[in-house]
Short mmCIF file of all heavy atoms in Angstrom, two decimals:
data_model
loop_
_atom_site.label_atom_id
_atom_site.label_comp_id
_atom_site.label_asym_id
_atom_site.label_seq_id
_atom_site.Cartn_x
_atom_site.Cartn_y
_atom_site.Cartn_z
N LEU T 182 -15.35 229.62 3.43
CA LEU T 182 -14.77 229.56 2.08
C LEU T 182 -15.23 230.74 1.22
O LEU T 182 -14.58 231.06 0.21
CB LEU T 182 -15.15 228.24 1.38
CG LEU T 182 -14.66 226.96 2.05
CD1 LEU T 182 -14.94 225.75 1.17
CD2 LEU T 182 -13.18 227.04 2.37
N VAL T 183 -16.33 231.38 1.60
CA VAL T 183 -16.78 232.56 0.85
C VAL T 183 -15.69 233.62 0.94
O VAL T 183 -15.28 234.21 -0.07
CB VAL T 183 -18.14 233.08 1.39
CG1 VAL T 183 -18.53 234.37 0.68
CG2 VAL T 183 -19.23 232.02 1.25
N GLU T 184 -15.18 233.82 2.16
CA GLU T 184 -14.12 234.81 2.35
C GLU T 184 -12.83 234.35 1.65
O GLU T 184 -12.14 235.14 1.00
CB GLU T 184 -13.88 234.99 3.85
CG GLU T 184 -13.17 236.28 4.16
CD GLU T 184 -12.88 236.38 5.65
OE1 GLU T 184 -13.72 235.93 6.46
OE2 GLU T 184 -11.79 236.89 5.97
N TYR T 185 -12.56 233.06 1.79
CA TYR T 185 -11.35 232.47 1.18
C TYR T 185 -11.30 232.78 -0.33
O TYR T 185 -10.29 233.25 -0.85
CB TYR T 185 -11.37 230.96 1.44
CG TYR T 185 -10.22 230.17 0.89
CD1 TYR T 185 -9.02 230.07 1.59
CD2 TYR T 185 -10.33 229.50 -0.33
CE1 TYR T 185 -7.96 229.32 1.10
CE2 TYR T 185 -9.28 228.75 -0.84
CZ TYR T 185 -8.09 228.66 -0.12
OH TYR T 185 -7.06 227.92 -0.61
N TYR T 186 -12.42 232.52 -1.01
CA TYR T 186 -12.43 232.73 -2.47
C TYR T 186 -12.64 234.20 -2.83
O TYR T 186 -12.27 234.62 -3.93
CB TYR T 186 -13.48 231.83 -3.14
CG TYR T 186 -13.04 230.38 -3.18
CD1 TYR T 186 -13.72 229.40 -2.47
CD2 TYR T 186 -11.92 230.00 -3.93
CE1 TYR T 186 -13.30 228.07 -2.51
CE2 TYR T 186 -11.50 228.68 -3.97
CZ TYR T 186 -12.19 227.72 -3.26
OH TYR T 186 -11.78 226.41 -3.29
N THR T 187 -13.23 234.98 -1.92
CA THR T 187 -13.35 236.42 -2.17
C THR T 187 -11.95 237.03 -2.21
O THR T 187 -11.61 237.83 -3.09
CB THR T 187 -14.21 237.10 -1.06
OG1 THR T 187 -15.48 236.48 -1.03
CG2 THR T 187 -14.38 238.59 -1.33
N GLU T 188 -11.12 236.62 -1.25
CA GLU T 188 -9.74 237.12 -1.19
C GLU T 188 -8.96 236.75 -2.44
O GLU T 188 -8.06 237.46 -2.87
CB GLU T 188 -9.02 236.60 0.06
CG GLU T 188 -9.38 237.42 1.28
CD GLU T 188 -8.92 236.78 2.58
OE1 GLU T 188 -8.13 235.81 2.54
OE2 GLU T 188 -9.37 237.26 3.64
N LYS T 189 -9.32 235.63 -3.04
CA LYS T 189 -8.63 235.20 -4.26
C LYS T 189 -9.23 235.85 -5.52
O LYS T 189 -8.79 235.58 -6.64
CB LYS T 189 -8.73 233.67 -4.40
CG LYS T 189 -7.84 232.93 -3.40
CD LYS T 189 -7.94 231.44 -3.60
CE LYS T 189 -7.08 230.70 -2.59
NZ LYS T 189 -5.63 230.88 -2.80
N GLY T 190 -10.28 236.66 -5.30
CA GLY T 190 -10.90 237.37 -6.42
C GLY T 190 -11.72 236.48 -7.34
O GLY T 190 -11.94 236.82 -8.50
N LYS T 191 -12.17 235.34 -6.81
CA LYS T 191 -12.86 234.37 -7.69
C LYS T 191 -14.38 234.36 -7.50
O LYS T 191 -15.11 233.77 -8.28
CB LYS T 191 -12.37 232.95 -7.37
CG LYS T 191 -10.92 232.70 -7.64
CD LYS T 191 -10.67 232.55 -9.12
CE LYS T 191 -9.20 232.30 -9.41
NZ LYS T 191 -8.86 232.58 -10.79
N ILE T 192 -14.85 234.99 -6.41
CA ILE T 192 -16.25 234.75 -6.02
C ILE T 192 -17.25 235.60 -6.82
O ILE T 192 -16.97 236.72 -7.21
CB ILE T 192 -16.42 235.02 -4.50
CG1 ILE T 192 -17.54 234.17 -3.92
CG2 ILE T 192 -16.67 236.48 -4.21
CD1 ILE T 192 -17.06 233.02 -3.13
N ALA T 193 -18.39 234.99 -7.11
CA ALA T 193 -19.53 235.74 -7.65
C ALA T 193 -20.72 235.37 -6.77
O ALA T 193 -21.11 234.21 -6.72
CB ALA T 193 -19.78 235.33 -9.09
N ASN T 194 -21.25 236.35 -6.06
CA ASN T 194 -22.37 236.08 -5.14
C ASN T 194 -23.70 236.24 -5.87
O ASN T 194 -23.91 237.23 -6.58
CB ASN T 194 -22.32 237.06 -3.95
CG ASN T 194 -21.10 236.82 -3.09
OD1 ASN T 194 -20.83 235.69 -2.67
ND2 ASN T 194 -20.32 237.86 -2.85
N ILE T 195 -24.58 235.26 -5.66
CA ILE T 195 -25.87 235.28 -6.35
C ILE T 195 -26.98 235.12 -5.33
O ILE T 195 -26.90 234.27 -4.44
CB ILE T 195 -25.92 234.13 -7.38
CG1 ILE T 195 -24.97 234.44 -8.52
CG2 ILE T 195 -27.32 233.89 -7.89
CD1 ILE T 195 -25.08 233.49 -9.66
N ASP T 196 -28.02 235.93 -5.50
CA ASP T 196 -29.20 235.79 -4.62
C ASP T 196 -30.01 234.58 -5.10
O ASP T 196 -30.65 234.62 -6.14
CB ASP T 196 -30.02 237.09 -4.71
CG ASP T 196 -31.32 236.98 -3.94
OD1 ASP T 196 -31.50 235.98 -3.20
OD2 ASP T 196 -32.16 237.90 -4.07
N GLY T 197 -29.96 233.51 -4.29
CA GLY T 197 -30.63 232.26 -4.67
C GLY T 197 -32.07 232.18 -4.22
O GLY T 197 -32.74 231.17 -4.44
N ALA T 198 -32.58 233.27 -3.59
CA ALA T 198 -33.96 233.24 -3.09
C ALA T 198 -34.94 233.78 -4.12
O ALA T 198 -35.85 234.52 -3.81
CB ALA T 198 -34.04 234.05 -1.79
#
Side-chain angles (χ1 to χ4, degrees):
L182 299 187
V183 175
E184 199 183 324
Y185 180 84
Y186 286 115
T187 302
E188 278 169 12
K189 287 181 181 291
K191 297 284 180 199
I192 209 104
N194 294 308
I195 290 188
D196 175 10

